[in-house]
Each structure stands twice: as C-alpha cells, then as structure tokens.
Amino acid sequence: MFQRTDYHHDLTSSKTSSKHKLDDNSLHPQIQTELLTRLPLPLLVVKSVIECLVSDELYTNQGFAFPSYEHRSSKLSQQAAMLVVVLFFHPQIMEQNLSLMRQAVDKFFHDTWVVPLYNGTVIDLSIEWGNRFPAAEDAIKTVIDTTHIEKLNYDNMKVTIACLDEVQRYLVQNVLSITFLLDRGGNIIDFLRAANAALRWQILHRTSHLCPKLENNNSAMIVDEHDILSLTLLVSQLEVQHGLPCNKM
C-alpha cells in the first residue's frame, strides 16, 4: 500500500528525523504511521482488534498443520502479519503499552523477527520498531539479542542439515509404498512439518541485517543457498510422492 501510493515521508524534517532513523545497512523501508493518519480509525475499535489478535487464535485449523509448540510461529504467521499491520493504526500501543507488546512478542515472535505480509513483502521488526516505538522495541529486544539469534540460527541449521539427510533417504531408497505409509506415515508428516518450518525460518531471516553477524562464528554450521534450494525441491518432490499413494488408498 505504501509503495503503490508513492508515499515518501521526509525523514529530514526536524520533527521526525530522530524517530525515524534508518539503519544504514538496512534494505527494508520503514512503514510510516503518518500515511495512516489520512484514514483515521476509532482507536477504541483498533485497540479491541489488537487485543483480540493477541489473546485469541483466529485460524484454529492451523493447529492441525503445526501441532508442535516449537512450530507455533509458523502456525500463527497469518495472524502475526495481521497484528503487525493493525498495530500501525494505533502507534500509541507500540510506544507505551509494554505489557501488551510483550504478550504479542511472546506469542508470535519468540523465535522470529522478520514477518511476511503479502506477495513476498516482508518487514524486519528490528527496524520497524527500533528507535521508533519504545514499548515495542523493548519487547522485541530479547528476541534480537545476539546470543539468542546465534542459538536460533544454530538450532535451525541443525534441523536443516538433518532434514537434507532424511529426505534423501526417503527418496533414494524409494520406501514410500502403501505399506510403509500405513506404518510410518505419521513420521513422514512430522518430518515435512519440521522441514517446512526450518525452510521458512532460513528464507525469511537470511534477509535480515542481523544475520551477517553470524557468519563470523566459526563454530556454527553453514547452510548456504544451495542447501536451501536443494531442500526446497526435495521436500516438494517428497510431498508429491507421499500424496500419490495416499490418494490411491
């Protein structure tokens, strides 16, 4: 919406230059709340929508796709994107309501800070909230802590590498018979969930300005673009092959 309206906020103005300071290394544009004031909405209604998004789960069917607690950021990704957008219609919450922002971060962003909105548009919360909204910045601070990011990256790379080995075993050995699926179909579904969640994290967070810091960590395993592309294609192939016997049954 911001790009299609050709809206450009003057970051050099004396009123906003300190609030909207951009990271020089960032390639992500910041969403400007000034544009949203062109269409003001009742703040009480917006606050109620935000509280509903934080407290409830709108897409209950996603619980069947990602039942594991460790995949909850993938399960709640659609609702998280809605919350991020709606918050900009009530910036006072991001500025002052630390309790509500901490609840939102704990629920939606405990292991992620890059949020896909629509059609490939992503925003980096470390930039969108940093140096702009004190409560939101303080809430996300524990997520974007360097030590925490290194642990998230290391854990995700371990899963990615393990998934690469496992998916090749399924495909090379051609074990996806109807009998095998009846016996171990649940294991394959669990594997596909883990692989898709790991791929999602890698694809999103490789665009963040925080991730290059991890390249200097010699102890970390390396997952490059070739690994991500290979896993994406192999998982897609496995999903197709897994679906054919299931359809026959």
Side-chain angles (χ1 to χ4, degrees), residues 61-91:
N61 60 318
Q62 289 296 313
F64 298 101
F66 294 99
S68 174
Y69 182 75
E70 64 183 7
H71 298 153
R72 68 186 185 276
S73 60
S74 297
K75 178 181 73 172
L76 299 171
S77 59
Q78 291 176 293
Q79 192 168 332
M82 293 174 59
L83 175 64
V84 168
V85 173
V86 176
L87 278 169
F88 280 97
F89 286 90
H90 199 325

Side-chain angles (χ1 to χ4, degrees), residues 139-204:
I140 200 72
K141 192 176 297 182
T142 55
V143 177
I144 60 175
D145 176 72
T146 302
T147 302
H148 187 237
I149 292 177
E150 288 178 352
K151 184 180 185 305
L152 290 175
N153 188 66
Y154 181 79
D155 292 344
N156 183 271
M157 286 191 292
K158 278 205 310 185
V159 174
T160 303
I161 293 172
C163 286
L164 270 171
D165 294 336
E166 189 169 357
V167 71
Q168 292 177 30
R169 180 173 61 84
Y170 284 132
L171 294 173
V172 172
Q173 295 182 6
N174 195 23
V175 297
L176 297 182
S177 63
I178 293 179
T179 303
F180 181 84
L181 290 177
L182 288 173
D183 292 337
R184 300 187 59 187
N187 294 338
I188 297 178
I189 296 297
D190 290 339
F191 162 76
L192 291 173
R193 290 186 181 116
N196 278 283
L199 280 170
R200 181 180 183 275
W201 196 94
Q202 281 288 340
I203 292 171
L204 286 176

